[in-house]
mmCIF file of all heavy atoms in Angstrom:
data_model
loop_
_atom_site.group_PDB
_atom_site.id
_atom_site.type_symbol
_atom_site.label_atom_id
_atom_site.label_comp_id
_atom_site.label_asym_id
_atom_site.label_seq_id
_atom_site.Cartn_x
_atom_site.Cartn_y
_atom_site.Cartn_z
ATOM 1 N N LEU A 209 -47.186 27.169 68.470
ATOM 2 C CA LEU A 209 -46.773 27.346 67.085
ATOM 3 C C LEU A 209 -47.935 27.174 66.116
ATOM 4 O O LEU A 209 -47.843 27.569 64.951
ATOM 5 C CB LEU A 209 -45.659 26.354 66.726
ATOM 6 C CG LEU A 209 -44.352 26.463 67.521
ATOM 7 C CD1 LEU A 209 -43.332 25.459 66.996
ATOM 8 C CD2 LEU A 209 -43.777 27.870 67.460
ATOM 9 N N THR A 210 -49.028 26.562 66.592
ATOM 10 C CA THR A 210 -50.188 26.354 65.717
ATOM 11 C C THR A 210 -51.053 27.604 65.584
ATOM 12 O O THR A 210 -51.953 27.654 64.737
ATOM 13 C CB THR A 210 -51.061 25.206 66.255
ATOM 14 O OG1 THR A 210 -51.521 25.531 67.584
ATOM 15 C CG2 THR A 210 -50.265 23.906 66.312
ATOM 16 N N HIS A 211 -50.771 28.611 66.392
ATOM 17 C CA HIS A 211 -51.545 29.853 66.309
ATOM 18 C C HIS A 211 -51.221 30.561 64.994
ATOM 19 O O HIS A 211 -50.053 30.696 64.627
ATOM 20 C CB HIS A 211 -51.211 30.763 67.493
ATOM 21 C CG HIS A 211 -52.175 31.892 67.674
ATOM 22 N ND1 HIS A 211 -52.153 33.013 66.877
ATOM 23 C CD2 HIS A 211 -53.197 32.061 68.550
ATOM 24 C CE1 HIS A 211 -53.123 33.844 67.259
ATOM 25 N NE2 HIS A 211 -53.771 33.289 68.265
ATOM 26 N N PRO A 212 -52.234 31.008 64.253
ATOM 27 C CA PRO A 212 -52.005 31.653 62.939
ATOM 28 C C PRO A 212 -51.022 32.821 62.985
ATOM 29 O O PRO A 212 -50.234 33.003 62.047
ATOM 30 C CB PRO A 212 -53.408 32.131 62.542
ATOM 31 C CG PRO A 212 -54.348 31.222 63.261
ATOM 32 C CD PRO A 212 -53.671 30.894 64.555
ATOM 33 N N THR A 213 -51.051 33.584 64.063
ATOM 34 C CA THR A 213 -50.140 34.724 64.180
ATOM 35 C C THR A 213 -48.688 34.270 64.222
ATOM 36 O O THR A 213 -47.813 34.888 63.610
ATOM 37 C CB THR A 213 -50.450 35.549 65.446
ATOM 38 O OG1 THR A 213 -51.817 35.987 65.395
ATOM 39 C CG2 THR A 213 -49.531 36.759 65.544
ATOM 40 N N ILE A 214 -48.436 33.165 64.936
ATOM 41 C CA ILE A 214 -47.069 32.680 65.110
ATOM 42 C C ILE A 214 -46.565 32.012 63.841
ATOM 43 O O ILE A 214 -45.486 32.349 63.337
ATOM 44 C CB ILE A 214 -46.974 31.705 66.305
ATOM 45 C CG1 ILE A 214 -47.447 32.402 67.594
ATOM 46 C CG2 ILE A 214 -45.536 31.211 66.459
ATOM 47 C CD1 ILE A 214 -46.677 33.662 67.944
ATOM 48 N N TRP A 215 -47.314 31.040 63.289
ATOM 49 C CA TRP A 215 -46.806 30.371 62.082
ATOM 50 C C TRP A 215 -46.831 31.315 60.880
ATOM 51 O O TRP A 215 -45.990 31.210 59.982
ATOM 52 C CB TRP A 215 -47.517 29.059 61.801
ATOM 53 C CG TRP A 215 -48.993 29.070 61.519
ATOM 54 C CD1 TRP A 215 -49.988 28.711 62.371
ATOM 55 C CD2 TRP A 215 -49.640 29.417 60.283
ATOM 56 N NE1 TRP A 215 -51.224 28.822 61.762
ATOM 57 C CE2 TRP A 215 -51.042 29.242 60.475
ATOM 58 C CE3 TRP A 215 -49.196 29.842 59.049
ATOM 59 C CZ2 TRP A 215 -51.986 29.503 59.482
ATOM 60 C CZ3 TRP A 215 -50.131 30.092 58.039
ATOM 61 C CH2 TRP A 215 -51.499 29.932 58.258
ATOM 62 N N GLY A 216 -47.774 32.245 60.872
ATOM 63 C CA GLY A 216 -47.768 33.251 59.811
ATOM 64 C C GLY A 216 -46.538 34.146 59.911
ATOM 65 O O GLY A 216 -45.924 34.504 58.902
ATOM 66 N N GLY A 217 -46.174 34.481 61.159
ATOM 67 C CA GLY A 217 -44.975 35.283 61.382
ATOM 68 C C GLY A 217 -43.718 34.546 60.958
ATOM 69 O O GLY A 217 -42.799 35.136 60.382
ATOM 70 N N LEU A 218 -43.673 33.232 61.231
ATOM 71 C CA LEU A 218 -42.516 32.424 60.833
ATOM 72 C C LEU A 218 -42.381 32.362 59.311
ATOM 73 O O LEU A 218 -41.272 32.435 58.770
ATOM 74 C CB LEU A 218 -42.635 31.010 61.405
ATOM 75 C CG LEU A 218 -42.435 30.873 62.920
ATOM 76 C CD1 LEU A 218 -42.736 29.451 63.368
ATOM 77 C CD2 LEU A 218 -41.011 31.270 63.305
ATOM 78 N N LEU A 219 -43.518 32.242 58.624
ATOM 79 C CA LEU A 219 -43.485 32.222 57.154
ATOM 80 C C LEU A 219 -43.015 33.564 56.609
ATOM 81 O O LEU A 219 -42.240 33.617 55.645
ATOM 82 C CB LEU A 219 -44.873 31.874 56.600
ATOM 83 C CG LEU A 219 -45.352 30.433 56.809
ATOM 84 C CD1 LEU A 219 -46.761 30.248 56.255
ATOM 85 C CD2 LEU A 219 -44.391 29.438 56.157
ATOM 86 N N TYR A 220 -43.464 34.643 57.228
ATOM 87 C CA TYR A 220 -43.027 35.979 56.793
ATOM 88 C C TYR A 220 -41.520 36.125 56.998
ATOM 89 O O TYR A 220 -40.797 36.562 56.097
ATOM 90 C CB TYR A 220 -43.762 37.066 57.572
ATOM 91 C CG TYR A 220 -43.304 38.466 57.201
ATOM 92 C CD1 TYR A 220 -43.904 39.159 56.157
ATOM 93 C CD2 TYR A 220 -42.251 39.087 57.887
ATOM 94 C CE1 TYR A 220 -43.479 40.431 55.801
ATOM 95 C CE2 TYR A 220 -41.815 40.354 57.532
ATOM 96 C CZ TYR A 220 -42.442 41.019 56.495
ATOM 97 O OH TYR A 220 -42.004 42.269 56.144
ATOM 98 N N LEU A 221 -41.054 35.742 58.183
ATOM 99 C CA LEU A 221 -39.632 35.879 58.501
ATOM 100 C C LEU A 221 -38.767 34.993 57.621
ATOM 101 O O LEU A 221 -37.678 35.392 57.201
ATOM 102 C CB LEU A 221 -39.390 35.548 59.977
ATOM 103 C CG LEU A 221 -39.963 36.543 60.992
ATOM 104 C CD1 LEU A 221 -39.796 36.011 62.411
ATOM 105 C CD2 LEU A 221 -39.298 37.903 60.866
#
Side-chain angles (χ1 to χ4, degrees):
L209 299 183
T210 60
H211 194 283
T213 302
I214 302 302
W215 62 257
L218 289 174
L219 290 178
Y220 178 89
L221 291 173

